[in-house]
Amino acid sequence: MSTQLLKTKLFVPQPSPNMVFRARLCARMDRGLTSKVTLVAAPAGFGKTTLIGYWIQKNSGPFAWVSLDELDNDPKVFWGYVVNALQMAGEYGGQSLFRELDPVQLPPTQPMLTTLINELANSTQKFVLVLDDYHVISNQTVHEEIGFLIDNLPSQLHIVLSTRADPPLPLARLRAKAQLCEMR
């Protein structure tokens, strides 16, 4: 694969200066950090991305952001963006893995995910991975790989999924284990 990654997909969108502060929603986002995953699900135009961007701006700590689109249905492209976003997040662990990887030339994803999870588990700092517009992902392999990541998520990492529809992930199991914060 000779595709370059578009770096602007890894930047947190800056909230409008005219945005109304949603203290209650930001407080729910903060409480969601005690779970593995925060799911922000609402129709188009309801302010999912704006809320998450504002929440990030008001919090300290590293955040990795990926704005997804239809081209990210290729697992290697998807994980290339995730790896790159995690690199940009700062001091979080996983450095040896990322030094060895060209994000565009990732190895097969299952061994890479195991290495990624193991490396992230060595981190001394907590951080958040935001996958914005997750509803554009239709590739079942990507869903299965995200499910694997969530099932084996190190305590240092929290995932925020912004979506227009519930993704085909183990949401019921996460709910049953109180590992899912849902904002609808």
Side-chain angles (χ1 to χ4, degrees), residues 81-172:
Y81 276 111
V82 169
V83 166
N84 227 301
L86 291 171
Q87 284 178 313
M88 290 176 62
E91 240 357 91
Y92 56 83
Q95 296 302 320
S96 65
L97 170 70
F98 299 132
R99 273 195 301 271
E100 297 170 11
L101 290 179
D102 172 357
V104 181
Q105 299 291 333
L106 290 174
T109 50
Q110 189 67 30
M112 188 273 305
L113 282 175
T114 300
T115 303
L116 174 65
I117 291 165
N118 290 339
E119 290 285 334
L120 295 174
N122 291 327
S123 175
T124 58
Q125 188 170 10
K126 292 186 178 265
F127 56 99
V128 175
L129 170 63
V130 177
L131 299 174
D132 190 35
D133 288 335
Y134 191 80
H135 58 272
V136 301
I137 301 299
S138 58
N139 185 316
Q140 187 58 34
T141 300
V142 173
H143 295 308
E144 290 169 6
E145 292 167 350
I146 285 291
F148 178 80
L149 175 63
I150 290 169
D151 287 343
N152 298 285
L153 202 65
S155 61
Q156 297 88 331
L157 179 61
H158 179 79
I159 296 176
V160 175
L161 298 173
S162 163
T163 181
R164 294 180 187 171
D166 283 358
L169 297 172
L171 298 180

Side-chain angles (χ1 to χ4, degrees), residues 18-127:
N18 300 335
M19 191 187 99
V20 176
F21 176 64
R22 305 279 187 199
R24 185 180 57 82
L25 294 177
C26 285
R28 281 188 66 196
M29 294 284 297
D30 288 339
R31 287 191 304 274
L33 290 172
T34 61
S35 62
K36 283 185 172 188
V37 177
T38 296
L39 178 70
V40 181
F46 272 61
K48 300 175 295 293
T49 300
T50 302
L51 169 65
I52 298 167
Y54 188 78
W55 174 68
I56 288 172
Q57 186 181 55
K58 294 299 176 194
N59 283 282
S60 61
F63 291 88
W65 181 282
V66 182
S67 294
L68 298 168
D69 60 42
E70 290 80 9
L71 299 176
D72 300 325
N73 276 289
D74 178 324
K76 290 197 179 211
V77 172
F78 179 89
W79 289 107
Y81 276 111
V82 169
V83 166
N84 227 301
L86 291 171
Q87 284 178 313
M88 290 176 62
E91 240 357 91
Y92 56 83
Q95 296 302 320
S96 65
L97 170 70
F98 299 132
R99 273 195 301 271
E100 297 170 11
L101 290 179
D102 172 357
V104 181
Q105 299 291 333
L106 290 174
T109 50
Q110 189 67 30
M112 188 273 305
L113 282 175
T114 300
T115 303
L116 174 65
I117 291 165
N118 290 339
E119 290 285 334
L120 295 174
N122 291 327
S123 175
T124 58
Q125 188 170 10
K126 292 186 178 265
F127 56 99

Side-chain angles (χ1 to χ4, degrees), residues 5-12 65 67 81:
L5 298 178
L6 184 60
K7 293 285 188 184
T8 55
K9 290 177 55 162
L10 306 178
F11 298 149
V12 178
W65 181 282
S67 294
Y81 276 111

